[in-house]
Amino acid sequence: MRKFLAILLCCAAVCCPMWSCKDKSGQSQTESSVQLECKRVGQPKYGYIDIPVYWKGYVDEAVSDADVIQFSDANGTNIITMKYYTDTDAQTLTLNMWGMLESSVNELTSAIVEIDGIKTYQLYGTVPEIGKIMAMWILDGSDGLTHCITIEGTQREIFDLADTFNTDK
């Protein structure tokens, strides 16, 4: 199962079409992608990410932390959450998140990837109670803040949106 999940998340570009936002000229950013109309969302301290235009702001009742911004599809199945930290670094936060997630996320796995040219720690697995895949990217931004981007959903292509994250609009 662990290998299957790693292949599912890390090799989606080879196994299935990727979602891609159209650039300002209306052209898709990759040839083998499903083209979506996207919009750039975020705030200065949280960072910015591209999401499909039909997504909207979201408030998850189960999240008690008011210091996050969230976006979701119309039915709240696929969700992106962004948070920033001032009192920790990416490596320490990743270890802390691992400890919090290991009892509720099946096949919790970690990887080191790159987003916007920055070394990024990734945690991912499945959440059986809600039937979703969850992935989290944690990085030390060029703005001096530690950023955490979490995507949970049922459509594996939404995880490609993490590649559009950066701290500049």
Side-chain angles (χ1 to χ4, degrees), residues 17-81:
M18 293 174 23
W19 279 10
S20 175
C21 295
K22 293 180 184 176
D23 66 20
K24 291 181 180 168
S25 69
Q27 299 297 312
S28 173
Q29 295 173 355
T30 61
E31 289 181 26
S32 64
S33 62
V34 175
Q35 294 182 12
L36 294 175
E37 289 290 330
C38 290
K39 60 184 175 184
R40 191 103 178 124
V41 296
Q43 296 176 13
K45 288 187 176 182
Y46 295 91
Y48 298 89
I49 196 165
D50 292 345
I51 62 171
V53 294
Y54 59 89
W55 283 32
K56 59 186 179 192
Y58 177 79
V59 177
D60 186 343
E61 301 294 327
V63 175
S64 60
D65 189 348
D67 199 20
V68 300
I69 56 174
Q70 296 179 297
F71 304 93
S72 76
D73 58 9
N75 60 10
T77 301
N78 299 293
I79 303 166
I80 293 177
T81 302

Side-chain angles (χ1 to χ4, degrees), residues 45-46 83-84 137-139 141 143 145-148 165 167:
K45 288 187 176 182
Y46 295 91
K83 181 170 176 59
Y84 69 90
W137 294 263
I138 302 169
L139 60 114
D143 57 1
L145 301 171
T146 299
H147 295 272
C148 181
F165 176 85
T167 57

Side-chain angles (χ1 to χ4, degrees), residues 89-105:
D89 61 78
Q91 186 174 13
T92 302
L93 182 59
T94 301
L95 293 172
N96 290 338
M97 289 296 188
W98 179 279
M100 289 174 42
L101 294 172
E102 69 182 331
S103 64
S104 60
V105 176

